[in-house]
Amino acid sequence: MLKDAATAVRERAYAPYSNFKVGAALRTASGAVHVGCNVENVAYPEGTCAEAGAIAAMVAAGETAFVEAFVIADSPSPVPPCGGCRQKLAEFAGPDAKVTLATTAGQLFETTVGALLPGSFGRAHMEPADG
Ligand code: THU
């Protein structure tokens, strides 16, 4: 179950600066589940988000598309992915891919990759314009 995978990997987050642990899990069409947690750094901008870690694990395992994502944190309400992670998620899933945002207390918010990043920049925008 994606929720269990995300919950378990969240415990391994390295977040000594924010003390805010995040876990993410991606399920691909093959049924495989890839997980990631946030990994912070004393040079703060060098930290990476849980979603980025899960994407890296998926690509390292040889897959480049997910069909469903689950993100969990200990927060008063389900934590929305940051802007950069929305673009990263959009790179590896269609707009209809389900994304569940969750709190450790059990609140769930279901959305999609497309809803998280409306008007997103995509490959089609790099096509040369006619004329
Ligand atoms: N963080 C994530 O890993 N994913 C999110 O969706 C929101 C924020 C991390 C980044 C940083 O390590 C900590 O949460 C506080 O921003």
Side-chain angles (χ1 to χ4, degrees):
M1 207 180 156
L2 270 194
K3 180 186 178 187
D4 296 334
T7 300
V9 73
R10 179 185 163 273
E11 294 297 331
R12 291 183 219 124
Y14 177 76
Y17 306 105
S18 71
N19 288 311
F20 188 67
K21 294 183 167 193
V22 186
L26 305 174
R27 186 168 55 77
T28 65
S30 74
V33 172
H34 304 284
V35 297
C37 54
N38 52 330
V39 179
E40 297 184 346
N41 192 283
V42 64
Y44 294 174
E46 300 305 325
T48 50
C49 288
E51 296 90 329
I55 288 168
M58 175 183 73
V59 173
E63 298 194 272
T64 53
F66 67 90
V67 294
E68 189 177 350
F70 195 103
V71 182
I72 188 165
D74 181 4
S75 187
S77 62
V79 168
C82 75
C85 282
R86 291 173 192 228
Q87 185 76 43
K88 290 184 178 79
L89 291 167
E91 180 75 18
F92 298 105
D96 295 333
K98 181 174 157 184
V99 180
T100 303
L101 309 172
T103 69
T104 52
Q107 264 192 66
L108 298 178
F109 178 74
E110 289 187 1
T111 184
T112 63
V113 166
L116 284 172
L117 195 63
S120 64
F121 173 67
R123 288 176 197 216
H125 297 104
M126 293 200 295
E127 296 292 329
D130 287 341

